[in-house]
């Protein structure tokens, strides 16, 4: 595109420290300073030195479609854009992608994250400060003496600040045609990240609809608005009556995409690929988050390489086996470590508690889940659904120590009378609604179904690696954490203790449609385990 040559050399500026690519060694230590005292406003709002499109695409394996879609929706620098919402689970690259897209576009933008602001006022002031580059007093109605508490004040100050930045009337005349074509038109973009946190600040949800109407309030076509959230669009627009932004979905990464992501910048690709071949699959079943995987894989790779004296060697089959045996004892503790409620999952409790409304967004299929949940929590949710729905008397027939693969044979051996009895029990249970179950039953089902998950050659790999074979297993504490998260999110209810057993009983609150969706998202054949009359 030849942008590198055309772009002005701007002062390097780190807009968001957390956007440093976890996998890019060169970016690990980033300058977190935000303070800039550069002379020209429009130059200051430009991102770091521009990058090429190829570079942009190469930085984000698995995000090619999203990048092209965003570029298309943002459009040329001299034409207005409809507000945009980027949404998807945690660590799906929403922030990094949009910041690097602007680096490629080389256009002025202001980035603000609700994560670093703890109330609307700080967010308002942070946007204004960024726009005015901390020079509040100069020619601006907004000064440090004034607080920007109300949304209406924010809109007024924002409009004034934007007029200054854009140099609205005069600049429009001054921007030469060739500069517009090179991407230096007069659009300014405002990026609001982590919008889901707004709901924690604003219990009455009055500001969020106003934010999404900011475009209407400002009435400035030169301003492009981009919202980023881990919540789905319907969380925001239900019954609000305003025009919805366009949206781009950042789906969870597939195993292949994660493989590509982790292969980036590896000095010895063959060696690292042999490592990923053995570790990625079991970890992928527990988390798909790039940050969690990156943290877990880094020390494991060092262990994997310990027996090697030459790190540039290409491992043959024998070496790969030797390296794997050396690594194996360390896998189980690492998997257990990661097998816990991720902070993001916990903070998404409210969002998780909401069932999908099956609305058809863009290219999202109604089959897909519209919230983020860790893979292990999904299996626990499925287990609780089965425990509530199926009569306990059928557990032995449906599940065995290998997860139920022998169930067909066993079922055939059951006598007619016992089938009839079980049918009656099931019918009774159905009429009663979802049944309650003790923790032990939930854990037993969970252990069985995780061992048959997906069609893997090494069927018991997860069980073996996580140590789930050791009685109630080392996973116990983590499963209890997941269980408590699901209870808090109202997927499972905790009923009073059983007077006979004295232990707490649980009940699944999800319906069949929801359970099937969750099962589909982890490729688990739930229908095989559901007892039907
Ligand atoms: N496709 C990818 N290729 C390379 N790195 C990626 C990719 N996706 C995510 N990452 C890395 O994962 C980390 C988290 O990404 P990022 O902060 O952009 O995610 P996010 O979706 O904005 O998360 P959150 O919702 O928590 O704000 C970053 O270090 C980023 O570089």
């Amino acid at each position: 595109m030849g942008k590198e040559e055309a772009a002005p050399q701007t002062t390097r500026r780190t807009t968001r420290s957390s956007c440093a690519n976890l996998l890019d060694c060169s970016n690990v230590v980033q300058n977190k300073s935000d303070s800039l005292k550069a002379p020209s406003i429009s130059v200051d709002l430009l991102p770091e030195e521009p990058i090429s499109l190829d570079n942009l695409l190469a930085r984000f394996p698995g995000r090619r479609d999203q990048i092209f879609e965003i570029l298309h929706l943002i459009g040329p620098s001299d034409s207005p854009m409809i507000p945009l919402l980027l949404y998807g689970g945690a660590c799906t690259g929403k922030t990094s992608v949009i910041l690097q897209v602007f680096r490629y576009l080389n256009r002025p933008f202001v980035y603000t994250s609700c994560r670093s602001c703890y109330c609307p006022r700080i967010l308002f002031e942070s946007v204004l400060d960024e726009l005015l580059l901390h020079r509040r007093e100069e020619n601006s109605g907004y000064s440090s003496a004034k607080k920007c508490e109300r949304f209406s004040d924010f809109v007024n100050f924002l409009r004034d600040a934007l007029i200054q930045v854009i140099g609205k009337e005069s600049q429009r005349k001054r921007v030469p045609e060739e500069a517009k074509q090179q991407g230096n038109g007069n659009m300014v973009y405002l990026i609001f990240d982590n919008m889901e946190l707004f709901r924690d600040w604003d219990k009455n949800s009055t500001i969020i609809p106003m934010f999404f109407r900011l475009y209407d309030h400002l009435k400035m076509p030169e301003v492009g608005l981009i919202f980023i959230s881990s919540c789905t669009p319907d969380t925001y627009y239900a019954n609000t009556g305003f025009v919805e932004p366009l949206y781009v979905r950042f789906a969870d990464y597939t195993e292949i995409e994660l493989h590509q992501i982790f292969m980036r910048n590896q000095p010895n690709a063959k060696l690292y690929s042999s490592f990923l071949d053995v570790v990625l699959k079991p970890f992928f079943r527990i988390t798909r988050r790039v940050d969690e995987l990156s943290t877990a894989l880094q020390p494991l790779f060092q262990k994997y390489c310990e027996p090697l004296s030459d790190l540039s060697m290409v491992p043959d089959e024998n070496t790969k086996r030797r390296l794997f045996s050396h690594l194996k004892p360390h896998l189980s503790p690492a998997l257990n470590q990661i097998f816990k409620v991720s902070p993001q999952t916990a903070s998404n409790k409210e969002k998780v508690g909401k069932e999908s409304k099956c609305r058809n967004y863009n290219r999202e299929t109604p089959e897909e889940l519209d919230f983020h949940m860790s893979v292990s929590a999904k299996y626990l949710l499925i287990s609780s659904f089965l425990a509530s729905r199926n009569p306990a008397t059928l557990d032995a027939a449906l599940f065995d120590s290998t997860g139920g693969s022998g169930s067909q044979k066993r079922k055939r051996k059951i006598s007619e009378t016992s089938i009839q009895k079980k049918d009656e029990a099931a019918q009774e249970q159905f009429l009663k609604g979802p049944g309650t179950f003790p923790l032990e039953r939930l854990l037993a089902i969970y252990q069985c179904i995780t061992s048959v998950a997906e069609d893997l050659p090494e069927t018991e790999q997860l069980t073996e690696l996580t140590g789930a074979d050791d009685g109630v297993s080392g996973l116990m504490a983590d499963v209890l954490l997941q269980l408590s998260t699901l209870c808090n999110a109202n997927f499972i209810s905790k009923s009073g203790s059983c007077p006979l057993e004295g232990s707490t009983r649980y009940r699944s609150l999800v319906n069949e449609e929801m359970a099937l969706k969750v099962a589909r998202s982890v490729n688990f054949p739930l229908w095989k385990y559901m007892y039907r009359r």
Side-chain angles (χ1 to χ4, degrees), residues 16 20-22 59 61 91-96 115 194 253 261:
R16 185 197 185 204
N21 195 327
L22 284 169
R59 275 166 190 251
C91 268
T92 47
K94 302 178 294 293
T95 310
S96 326
R115 206 171 265 163
N194 303 112
Y253 290 116
I261 291 171

Side-chain angles (χ1 to χ4, degrees), residues 210-229:
M210 290 198 257
F211 247 98
F212 283 104
R213 268 193 221 120
L214 191 55
Y215 190 75
D216 298 337
H217 290 301
L218 286 172
K219 295 191 176 54
M220 295 177 79
E222 301 90 341
V223 180
L225 296 174
I226 297 169
F227 302 102
I228 305 178
S229 171

Side-chain angles (χ1 to χ4, degrees), residues 48-82:
E48 303 160 281
E49 299 109 61
I51 51 170
S52 68
L53 182 60
D54 287 345
N55 190 332
L56 172 64
L57 294 171
R59 275 166 190 251
F60 298 104
R63 287 296 170 239
R64 195 185 167 83
D65 288 354
Q66 284 82 357
I67 290 173
F68 278 116
E69 202 167 341
I70 291 171
L71 288 174
H72 170 70
L73 294 173
I74 289 179
S77 64
D78 55 353
S79 76
M81 66 169 271
I82 295 178

Side-chain angles (χ1 to χ4, degrees), residues 16-24 57-64 87-99 111 113 115 193-194 196 228-230 250 253 257-258 260-262 264 289-291 294 344:
R16 185 197 185 204
S17 54
S18 62
C19 72
N21 195 327
L22 284 169
L23 315 161
D24 230 338
L57 294 171
R59 275 166 190 251
F60 298 104
R63 287 296 170 239
R64 195 185 167 83
Y87 75 99
C91 268
T92 47
K94 302 178 294 293
T95 310
S96 326
V97 166
I98 195 69
L99 292 178
Y111 168 89
S113 166
R115 206 171 265 163
D193 200 354
N194 303 112
E196 70 280 356
I228 305 178
S229 171
S230 56
F250 281 62
Y253 290 116
E257 287 166 346
L258 285 169
Q260 291 166 351
I261 291 171
F262 283 98
R264 281 184 61 237
R289 285 182 57 156
V290 177
D291 58 345
S294 169
Q344 186 70 24

Side-chain angles (χ1 to χ4, degrees), residues 12 19 51 73 76 78 85 108 150 230 233 270-271 296-297 303 363 365-366 394 396 413-414 446 450 473 532:
R12 198 170 255 282
C19 72
I51 51 170
L73 294 173
D78 55 353
L85 171 70
R150 291 180 309 165
S230 56
K270 292 247 161 66
L271 181 64
L297 298 189
K303 280 276 163 234
R363 293 178 295 162
T365 65
L394 283 184
K413 287 184 199 155
I414 299 171
Y446 177 81
T450 47
S473 98
R532 292 186 193 280

Side-chain angles (χ1 to χ4, degrees), residues 127-146:
V127 177
L128 295 167
D129 278 348
E130 285 269 343
L131 262 176
L132 298 168
L133 295 160
H134 308 275
R135 290 182 302 222
R136 297 184 188 187
E137 277 84 5
E138 291 171 25
N139 315 318
S140 150
Y142 167 65
S143 74
S144 43
K146 286 189 188 172

